[in-house]
Each structure stands twice: as structure tokens, then as C-alpha cells.
Amino acid sequence: MFVLSSPSGAGKTTLSHSLLDKEQNLTLSISMTTRPQRPKEVDGQDYIFLNKDEFLAKQKRGEFLEWAEVFDHYYGTPRHFVEDALNSGKDILFDIDWQGCAQLRKILSNDLVSIFILPPSAATLEQRLRSRGQDTEETVIKRMQGAKSEMQHWEAYDYIIINDDLNKSLIQLQAILNAERLKRTRCYGLTSFVNTLLQDLS
Ligand code: 5GP
């Protein structure tokens, strides 16, 4: 489970889509949200959009692996999707906030790799938020304030990437993913492989 968190506007969504294009065995966890759909977003692809009552009913039935309230809207990770992907041996990319990451860490810490993306400066962050042209002025201001509180949690993450260059950040992300995949504890079948090697040597 590969978690990417960042304040809005740090380039996390662009980075995660670029990573998904490059990595065969990585699949995106599609969250459910009560936030209004943005013009370029596709329902079922970027998010599954639903209303508050539907969300709360699912939450009550325990259908979310984690969920949080962000910017006055609910966001949650559907449990069945993650379980199916993990069972079929896929790695999963999560674009979730610090609250979601903390919940996943509590339940599945050995399977979790967390990365926090920082913007190179406050001015770049503001400019990126404004240039998206997707949100109202009020929302942009709210997101700038939200960025500050999201960033306070950077120390809870395993890795930090300062996203001043998309290509460089992508290479860094791939390096993390590859190294984490090579960890001894994640290489299933290694014990029997080494045992066979040792037997063949004796
Ligand atoms: P946005 O509205 O800009 O798409 O997302 C707002 C924030 O909610 C982002 O930080 C994003 O990572 C986070 N988020 C999206 N989906 C989930 C989710 O399923 N769970 C949690 N905890 N946060 C989410």
C-alpha cells in the first residue's frame, strides 16, 4: 500500500497519474466522496461521487477501510476494492490525506509505505491552486489554510519529496517503490528459494 499525501496543489494527482502510467503492477484506490464533481473529473475513475446520506450509510455498514472529513466533505476508501487488489497481488496507490494515512498505518502498518509531497514554496502552491481554475476564490483560500494544517503532519511519513520538478519527483517515487518492493520481508517465497540454493550447494 503506497500512500501519497500532500496539501492540495503540490502536484500529487499529476504525479500519481504519471506513476500509474509507468508501473504495471500498481493500481489506484478510487475513493468515494461527497464533494461536488469538478468539470474534468470522471465518476468512477477519479472518484465515486455520492451524497452524504449514501456515504454515511456505507460508513455505518463498515464499508470503508478508512474515511475522513476534508474541507467540509467526506472522503473514504472502499474496503472491498483494496482487499481484492491486495489478494490478487497488486500494489495499491492511495491519494489520501494524513488522517486516512494514520488510519491505514494503525491497521496495516507492515504493508504501508507513506510519502508526503511538499511544494517547493508557498508562492508556487498558491499559484498552482489558482491556475487549476477549478475552485471558487473561497475554496482556494480554504485550501491554502488547509495546506498549512496538512503540512504539519509531514513527519509522520516514511519519505518526503519536494516537488519542484515533475520528472525528478517521478524518478524519486519510482526509486522508493522499487526499493520497497525489494525489501526482504516483501519478497514472498524467498525462504524456499534460499533453502533450495543452500541445498544445491551442499
Ligand atoms: P480533492 O477534493 O482535492 O480531490 O481532495 C482533497 C483531499 O482529500 C486530498 O488531500 C486527498 O488526498 C484527500 N482524499 C481523497 N480521497 C480520500 C480518501 O478516500 N480518504 C482520505 N482520508 N482522504 C482522501
Side-chain angles (χ1 to χ4, degrees), residues 8 35 38 71 73 129 132 134-146:
S8 309
R35 132 159 114 57
R38 294 182 184 138
F71 303 121
H73 298 294
L129 278 177
R132 293 204 298 201
Q134 293 172 335
D135 299 307
T136 61
E137 178 63 18
E138 191 195 342
T139 306
V140 170
I141 291 169
K142 221 181 223 179
R143 281 174 184 264
M144 284 296 286
Q145 288 161 355

XYZ file of all heavy atoms in Angstrom, residues 8 35 38 71 73 129 132 134-146:
173
model
N -3.299 20.233 -1.121
C -3.792 20.410 -2.496
C -2.888 21.380 -3.218
O -2.505 22.408 -2.643
C -5.179 21.044 -2.529
O -6.041 20.391 -1.712
N -17.925 15.352 -2.119
C -17.603 16.659 -2.699
C -18.157 16.734 -4.133
O -18.193 15.724 -4.836
C -16.084 16.868 -2.645
C -15.494 17.335 -3.929
C -14.205 17.995 -3.878
N -13.123 17.282 -4.527
C -13.117 16.904 -5.803
N -14.179 17.082 -6.571
N -12.064 16.288 -6.305
N -15.797 17.893 -10.175
C -15.222 19.001 -10.955
C -15.386 18.714 -12.444
O -15.499 17.546 -12.835
C -13.732 19.155 -10.616
C -13.500 19.595 -9.179
C -12.008 19.784 -8.917
N -11.769 20.110 -7.523
C -10.773 19.602 -6.790
N -9.943 18.720 -7.315
N -10.600 19.965 -5.544
N -12.157 19.481 4.132
C -12.805 20.655 3.516
C -14.332 20.510 3.482
O -14.963 20.694 2.431
C -12.295 20.884 2.082
C -10.815 21.059 1.980
C -10.045 20.208 1.197
C -10.164 22.071 2.677
C -8.676 20.372 1.106
C -8.791 22.231 2.588
C -8.065 21.385 1.803
N -16.245 18.022 3.343
C -16.835 16.897 2.604
C -16.238 15.595 3.121
O -15.160 15.582 3.693
C -16.541 17.026 1.104
C -17.131 18.262 0.498
N -18.487 18.461 0.391
C -16.549 19.366 -0.007
C -18.708 19.639 -0.163
N -17.553 20.216 -0.400
N -2.744 26.355 -7.164
C -4.158 26.270 -6.772
C -5.013 27.188 -7.630
O -6.114 26.828 -8.041
C -4.327 26.656 -5.294
C -4.030 25.558 -4.278
C -4.156 26.097 -2.860
C -4.974 24.383 -4.467
N -5.421 26.126 -11.504
C -6.310 24.997 -11.817
C -7.665 25.497 -12.320
O -8.333 24.823 -13.086
C -6.559 24.125 -10.572
C -5.325 23.411 -10.114
C -5.625 22.178 -9.327
N -6.352 22.423 -8.088
C -6.369 21.583 -7.080
N -5.709 20.452 -7.156
N -7.042 21.848 -5.990
N -10.390 25.508 -11.016
C -11.484 24.573 -10.759
C -12.307 24.989 -9.551
O -13.418 24.505 -9.362
C -10.922 23.181 -10.464
C -10.248 22.543 -11.652
C -9.553 21.251 -11.242
O -9.184 21.076 -10.081
N -9.385 20.354 -12.173
N -11.736 25.848 -8.729
C -12.387 26.140 -7.459
C -12.717 27.616 -7.333
O -12.093 28.464 -7.963
C -11.456 25.715 -6.308
C -11.166 24.226 -6.337
O -12.119 23.437 -6.375
O -9.979 23.867 -6.349
N -13.683 27.932 -6.498
C -14.041 29.322 -6.250
C -12.943 29.963 -5.388
O -12.136 29.264 -4.777
C -15.364 29.407 -5.464
O -15.161 28.741 -4.215
C -16.509 28.761 -6.221
N -12.953 31.302 -5.340
C -11.962 32.034 -4.532
C -12.028 31.568 -3.061
O -11.004 31.349 -2.420
C -12.248 33.547 -4.633
C -11.334 34.448 -3.809
C -9.861 34.385 -4.241
O -9.581 33.934 -5.364
O -9.000 34.776 -3.419
N -13.258 31.396 -2.600
C -13.452 30.971 -1.203
C -12.785 29.602 -0.977
O -12.113 29.374 0.032
C -14.957 30.879 -0.940
C -15.294 30.703 0.522
C -16.749 30.261 0.700
O -17.561 30.418 -0.239
O -17.050 29.740 1.784
N -12.972 28.705 -1.947
C -12.378 27.366 -1.829
C -10.857 27.444 -1.885
O -10.162 26.752 -1.133
C -12.917 26.440 -2.949
O -14.327 26.473 -2.899
C -12.438 25.022 -2.793
N -10.324 28.312 -2.753
C -8.863 28.449 -2.854
C -8.294 28.904 -1.505
O -7.303 28.346 -1.010
C -8.457 29.431 -3.985
C -6.961 29.746 -3.930
C -8.804 28.854 -5.358
N -8.953 29.885 -0.898
C -8.470 30.388 0.400
C -8.535 29.270 1.454
O -7.596 29.047 2.215
C -9.278 31.634 0.831
C -8.927 32.799 -0.111
C -8.993 32.014 2.290
C -9.824 34.004 0.008
N -9.637 28.526 1.434
C -9.800 27.411 2.366
C -8.696 26.373 2.152
O -8.135 25.826 3.095
C -11.165 26.759 2.106
C -11.889 26.375 3.367
C -13.185 25.736 3.018
C -14.300 26.232 3.907
N -15.578 25.629 3.568
N -8.383 26.115 0.900
C -7.370 25.107 0.585
C -5.966 25.573 0.985
O -5.122 24.761 1.367
C -7.440 24.706 -0.887
C -8.583 23.731 -1.117
C -8.828 23.388 -2.555
N -10.005 22.530 -2.648
C -9.971 21.201 -2.708
N -8.817 20.577 -2.717
N -11.084 20.492 -2.759
N -5.722 26.901 0.899
C -4.425 27.423 1.355
C -4.289 27.215 2.868
O -3.235 26.833 3.362
C -4.305 28.923 1.045
C -4.019 29.270 -0.406
S -2.425 28.656 -0.985
C -1.305 29.780 -0.161
N -5.395 27.470 3.571
C -5.354 27.259 5.026
C -5.209 25.770 5.344
O -4.468 25.364 6.241
C -6.626 27.808 5.676
C -6.663 29.329 5.680
C -8.072 29.880 5.874
O -9.052 29.132 5.911
N -8.187 31.189 5.988
N -5.942 24.960 4.554
C -5.879 23.510 4.735
C -4.479 22.975 4.480
O -4.022 22.047 5.139
